[in-house]
């Protein structure tokens, strides 16, 4: 029902698999055996699945929902009067997708848009975002029912298994 800051979920997915975000400060968040392995390591596949059921409509300024958010939880008393300094949630997500898809990282990025099948402006925007984020048609899914969602994740699993065998 709104208040989706999808760019934050995407960023954290990348943080969890990237060795580049582990430094003296962040190292303590992961136990030693959970620190992400380097990119390109033999027999290692890094993958992110970006799934949403709608639009990315909430962004922040210094940790508080920004004035330009289209949806947010709470009252206006917890909303800043500033716009997000980094752009909309969709703009931030697209910038992250562009970076994640760079060949040097060798990350498999999949997108799943669940039940965003209408021609409403919100659904069209969500489909456009997920289409732009995914590298190609094999990496994006738009299921409209639970069984189709199962099929999408089975396809993603098969794709990842084939990558592991062939690399």
């Amino acid at each position: 029902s709104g208040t989706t800051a999808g760019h934050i979920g995407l960023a954290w997915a990348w943080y969890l698999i990237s060795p580049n975000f582990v430094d003296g400060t962040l190292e303590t968040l992961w136990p030693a055996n959970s620190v992400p392995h380097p990119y390109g390591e033999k027999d290692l596949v890094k993958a992110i699945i970006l799934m949403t059921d709608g639009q990315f409509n909430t962004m922040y300024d210094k940790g508080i929902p920004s004035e330009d958010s289209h949806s947010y939880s709470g009252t206006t008393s917890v909303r800043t009067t500033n716009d997000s300094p980094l752009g909309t949630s969709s703009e931030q997500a697209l910038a992250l997708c562009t970076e994640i898809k760079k060949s040097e990282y060798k990350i498999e990025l999949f997108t799943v848009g669940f039940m965003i099948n209408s021609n409403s402006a919100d659904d069209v925007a969500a489909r456009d975002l997920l289409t732009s984020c995914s590298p190609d048609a094999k990496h994006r899914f738009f299921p409209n029912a639970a069984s189709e969602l199962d099929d999408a994740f089975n396809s993603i699993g098969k794709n990842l298994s084939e990558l592991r065998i062939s690399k």
Side-chain angles (χ1 to χ4, degrees):
S1 64
T3 315
T4 302
H7 63 291
I8 293 175
L10 180 59
W12 272 103
W14 190 15
Y15 300 158
L16 288 171
I17 65 170
S18 174
N20 295 351
F21 295 101
V22 177
D23 62 16
T25 305
L26 293 178
E27 226 167 89
T28 58
L29 296 177
W30 283 274
N33 61 352
S34 296
V35 172
H37 288 264
Y39 293 118
E41 190 172 284
K42 187 178 184 321
D43 298 327
L44 176 68
V45 175
K46 291 185 181 252
I48 293 173
I49 301 171
L50 173 60
M51 181 175 160
T52 185
D53 64 352
Q55 59 183 309
F56 290 12
N57 54 14
T58 301
M59 40 280 174
Y60 298 88
D61 177 44
K62 298 176 185 157
I64 301 170
S66 60
E67 177 66 24
D68 54 347
S69 290
H70 302 290
S71 179
Y72 58 94
S73 294
T75 65
T76 55
S77 63
V78 295
R79 187 175 186 179
T80 181
T81 57
N82 300 324
D83 284 348
S84 171
L86 300 174
T88 68
S89 181
S90 294
E91 290 167 343
Q92 292 177 60
L94 286 171
L96 285 164
C97 288
T98 298
E99 189 65 23
I100 289 168
K101 290 187 295 187
K102 288 185 175 177
S103 61
E104 66 204 66
Y105 301 124
K106 299 179 179 159
I107 296 173
E108 294 292 321
L109 177 59
F110 297 89
T111 62
V112 179
F114 187 57
M115 297 184 71
I116 54 171
N117 57 353
S118 78
N119 289 324
S120 71
D122 290 343
D123 279 2
V124 169
R127 282 194 305 273
D128 288 349
L129 173 85
L130 295 177
T131 298
S132 296
C133 273
S134 67
D136 56 42
K138 284 181 18 179
H139 287 80
R140 68 178 155 263
F141 302 88
F142 295 101
N144 293 314
S147 62
E148 291 175 9
L149 187 60
D150 285 343
D151 292 344
F153 277 92
N154 283 330
S155 181
I156 291 169
K158 183 178 177 189
N159 184 313
L160 292 172
S161 295
E162 289 171 0
L163 283 171
R164 192 160 184 88
I165 291 170
S166 69
K167 285 191 177 182

